[in-house]
Amino acid sequence: MFHLIALPYAPDALAPVISARTLEFHHGKHLQGYVDNLNKLIAGTPFAQMPLEEIVRLSEGAVFNNAGQILNHNLYFTQFTDKPSVPPAGRLAARIERQWGTLEAFKAEFEAKGTSLFGSGWVWLSADADGTLAISQEPGAGNPVVRGLRPLLTFDVWEHAYYLDWQNRRAAHLSALWQFVDWTEIARRYDEALV
Ligand code: MN
């Protein structure tokens, strides 16, 4: 039985980039819907005993879509902070610098891949077991965990994530999200991937 995660900030903490009204629908309706759907779909099946990531790795069709969307949104909503965003430090910062040169160059590629993703989906930063980072475009409920990678950071480019506040201006929305990214949390996920 899966449950809706609590948001680690007030509903209006990310406004106007993500308004309280967007969060009300995105977290309270869309994510709640995926949780309710998955619980119905897996009741009485072997999936009911599995952790979420395992379901995502092993399932397809409706179970995959709903489980993937729960995993994606749980990582998405908990990567933002209402405190001033501090640039990444430690091993994650060193790796970004090694692969992209600067944090700004990394952000530019991440935004461009989110903006150019056709239709609904997610842009992800993930790490392999050696710590190599990669940016990927994942359609629908996609998550790089299905390829054995550790998901670190994601921007949701489904229209439900930004349309109430930004309408068609996806690129501007993505660019404005960085101010809320909790790099301490992303670095923690990265360090965990390397253990
Ligand atoms: Mn979403």
Side-chain angles (χ1 to χ4, degrees):
M1 187 83 171
F2 292 97
H3 298 280
L4 182 67
I5 56 156
L7 294 176
Y9 36 76
D12 61 352
L14 311 182
V17 178
I18 301 175
S19 66
R21 186 152 171 80
T22 288
L23 274 183
E24 181 190 326
F25 279 91
H26 198 186
H27 173 259
K29 304 290 185 194
H30 289 279
L31 180 51
Q32 181 71 64
Y34 298 129
V35 170
D36 294 343
N37 287 341
L38 185 67
N39 284 331
K40 277 185 212 140
L41 287 164
I42 66 175
T45 77
F47 290 127
Q49 312 303 324
M50 291 180 195
L52 189 56
E53 282 199 10
E54 200 176 342
I55 299 177
V56 172
R57 279 196 297 268
L58 298 178
S59 64
E60 53 188 22
V63 172
F64 172 80
N65 288 335
N66 286 282
Q69 286 294 71
I70 298 170
L71 179 61
N72 296 349
H73 286 94
N74 287 357
L75 290 165
Y76 172 80
F77 285 125
T78 59
Q79 73 186 358
F80 297 124
T81 177
D82 56 2
K83 318 264 183 317
S85 180
V86 178
R91 290 190 287 187
L92 176 62
R95 190 73 207 200
I96 288 173
E97 198 170 309
R98 181 169 148 193
Q99 290 188 229
W100 281 275
T102 65
L103 182 61
E104 292 315 308
F106 159 76
K107 287 180 179 176
E109 185 185 331
F110 196 83
E111 282 178 41
K113 287 204 163 139
T115 301
S116 63
L117 196 162
F118 186 76
S120 297
W122 302 78
V123 56
W124 282 98
L125 174 68
S126 61
D128 70 13
D130 297 325
T132 302
L133 298 169
I135 300 173
S136 61
Q137 294 175 317
E138 311 284 342
N143 187 306
V145 77
V146 302
R147 299 191 300 278
L149 302 172
R150 176 67 68 114
L152 304 175
L153 166 73
T154 190
F155 285 174
D156 186 345
V157 301
W158 284 59
E159 287 185 346
H160 68 219
Y162 61 88
Y163 217 81
L164 289 176
D165 304 321
W166 296 83
Q167 294 78 50
N168 62 317
R169 292 173 293 145
R170 185 196 283 187
H173 166 70
L174 299 186
S175 180
L177 282 175
W178 295 113
Q179 65 189 287
F180 299 117
V181 169
D182 183 353
W183 285 106
T184 306
E185 169 62 11
I186 309 306
R188 189 194 64 75
R189 293 174 185 177
Y190 184 63
D191 288 342
E192 218 175 63
L194 301 181
V195 170

